[in-house]
Amino acid sequence: TPVPLPATTLPRPVYTFTGRLLRTPDGQFIVGVITPNNGSTYIFVYEVASGVVLRNRTVSGQSSVLSMAPDGSRFTAGFTMFDTATLAIVAQQNNNNAPIGFTAAFNTAQNIGGATFSPDGATLYSAFNTAANASPQPPPLSSTLLVSDATNLGIRLGIKRPESIVARLVTKVDGSDAW
């Protein structure tokens, strides 16, 4: 009798490029973020007209999930909001003070989830992975849609979804639908 083939164990696919780019609504600037390792993240603002990086900053362990405010004045990289003009940290979302329970903190090593501002810029909709950072990687746990105040990132509401949000979040221009 022939020997059966060994079981195949393939690792879970990983998002291999840890950088992202996002333009401001007027197209004048491009915000970029790249995380070459778990210890550091580089954030920059590039001016399209001059072809120059105007500002850059190094932070530690930041997610590369990006969203841009409708007026382009601020953006989020993961659960941290930055001022586009200065790259100063304006606010930080934290699941420790949320009105709902989480099984773990936001996982910045496994960048899964998304975020988008409402058309008026007053609300941020986001979902971040809370699965433990382990090897092999567990399935993502980003199934709670967070509704937050876009000025201080205070979480107002969590909506449990049947599936994880593993890609970008986008809304219609009028805010009537989100995907």
Side-chain angles (χ1 to χ4, degrees):
T1 308
V3 177
L5 293 173
T8 305
T9 55
L10 298 174
R12 183 173 305 283
V14 177
Y15 187 72
T16 56
F17 186 70
T18 58
R20 302 227 174 103
L21 299 171
L22 188 63
R23 71 172 180 82
T24 56
D26 62 9
Q28 292 183 351
F29 303 102
I30 297 173
V31 170
V33 61
I34 186 162
T35 305
N37 56 53
N38 288 342
S40 60
T41 301
Y42 308 125
I43 298 173
F44 62 89
V45 176
Y46 173 85
E47 184 179 45
V48 175
S50 67
V52 173
V53 173
L54 299 177
R55 290 167 285 290
N56 62 55
R57 158 172 205 170
T58 302
V59 294
S60 60
Q62 193 62 55
S63 170
S64 62
V65 174
L66 286 174
S67 66
M68 181 68 64
D71 63 0
S73 67
R74 61 198 192 285
F75 66 93
T76 61
F79 48 84
T80 304
M81 186 183 315
F82 294 88
D83 181 277
T84 306
T86 64
L87 287 183
I89 294 175
V90 178
Q92 196 161 34
Q93 197 173 44
N94 191 326
N95 58 357
N96 288 331
N97 59 8
I100 55 174
F102 287 90
T103 56
F106 297 139
N107 181 341
T108 59
Q110 190 180 1
N111 283 320
I112 293 180
T116 187
F117 283 83
S118 62
D120 63 0
T123 303
L124 181 75
Y125 301 100
S126 61
F128 298 107
N129 188 19
T130 57
N133 188 23
S135 184
Q137 290 182 346
L141 284 174
S142 54
S143 58
T144 303
L145 178 65
L146 304 173
V147 180
S148 304
D149 184 312
T151 57
N152 60 20
L153 295 185
I155 299 170
R156 296 188 298 226
L157 177 66
I159 302 169
K160 190 70 169 163
R161 310 238 332 119
E163 68 279 335
S164 284
I165 297 170
V166 295
R168 224 174 126 188
L169 282 174
V170 292
T171 57
K172 278 187 168 180
V173 175
D174 64 2
S176 61
D177 291 311
W179 294 272

